[in-house]
Amino acid sequence: MHTIHLNDSWRLLEKPLLPGGDPPAPVAAEWDAALDASVPGEVHLDLLRHGRIAEPLFDRNALACAWVEERYWWFRRGFRVESVPGRRAELVCEGLDYTAVLWLNGIEIGRAANALIAHRFDVTRALRQGDNDLIIRLDAGVAETKQKPRESY
């Protein structure tokens, strides 16, 4: 088995939540404004490192950071594959918090809605020899809960 580790350097981009349906993927020019991000990691830690938020666990700063939950967070990472395996290829994500949609080279490869388990995605049809582009959209589930009756929850 050949493993490619995709930890460390990613790009992070925020977009506002949109009611109903999937938002469009960021266009190429939007990625110019993306922040450097560290994976594994957490959006708050990346924002803190870039000076976009104050330490959320200090005093009442958590209230000032509530806007973070009201965004879609897009992660992007390029990687290179010298040769495509002749058998099933998988992307393994140890944690995706909370809802996630993943694309490899523009092809949707999976969705997740559980931050507490690892997820495996079959990327055989999307993986290509040479350069590959992986994009993951995360959100905290706020958009999903807004569509549900509050009384039941």
Side-chain angles (χ1 to χ4, degrees):
M1 172 175 40
H2 179 72
T3 302
I4 300 172
H5 293 278
L6 299 177
N7 292 349
D8 302 321
S9 299
W10 286 66
R11 301 292 288 159
L12 173 65
L13 184 65
E14 71 173 274
K15 300 219 17 155
L17 288 178
L18 298 173
D22 284 340
V27 296
E30 290 178 284
W31 286 104
D32 293 341
L35 303 173
D36 291 327
S38 185
V39 171
E42 202 269 339
V43 170
H44 288 86
L45 295 175
D46 292 318
L47 295 174
L48 184 60
R49 190 171 37 259
H50 286 283
R52 297 272 316 274
I53 61 171
E55 169 56 62
L57 301 178
F58 179 75
D59 198 27
R60 294 191 173 111
N61 291 348
L63 295 173
C65 296
W67 65 270
V68 174
E69 307 300 323
E70 300 278 341
R71 300 284 193 277
Y72 288 114
W73 294 97
W74 297 80
F75 287 81
R76 184 178 194 183
R77 164 86 192 238
F79 64 97
R80 188 161 181 76
V81 173
E82 295 306 321
S83 64
V84 177
R87 60 190 181 286
R88 178 182 168 110
E90 292 184 328
L91 172 67
V92 178
C93 298
E94 296 293 333
L96 296 167
D97 192 7
Y98 159 69
T99 62
V101 183
L102 298 87
W103 296 267
L104 180 58
N105 299 319
I107 299 169
E108 184 176 320
I109 56 169
R111 292 174 178 250
N114 187 335
L116 303 176
I117 62 171
H119 294 84
R120 299 179 91 85
F121 303 98
D122 183 348
V123 298
T124 308
R125 66 185 171 91
L127 188 65
R128 62 184 178 222
Q129 186 172 336
D131 293 332
N132 288 268
D133 186 39
L134 178 60
I135 294 178
I136 302 174
R137 185 190 74 219
L138 299 176
D139 78 75
V142 173
E144 183 180 323
T145 59
K146 286 184 178 183
Q147 299 173 22
K148 300 198 185 244
R150 291 186 124 191
E151 302 80 36
S152 301
Y153 296 90

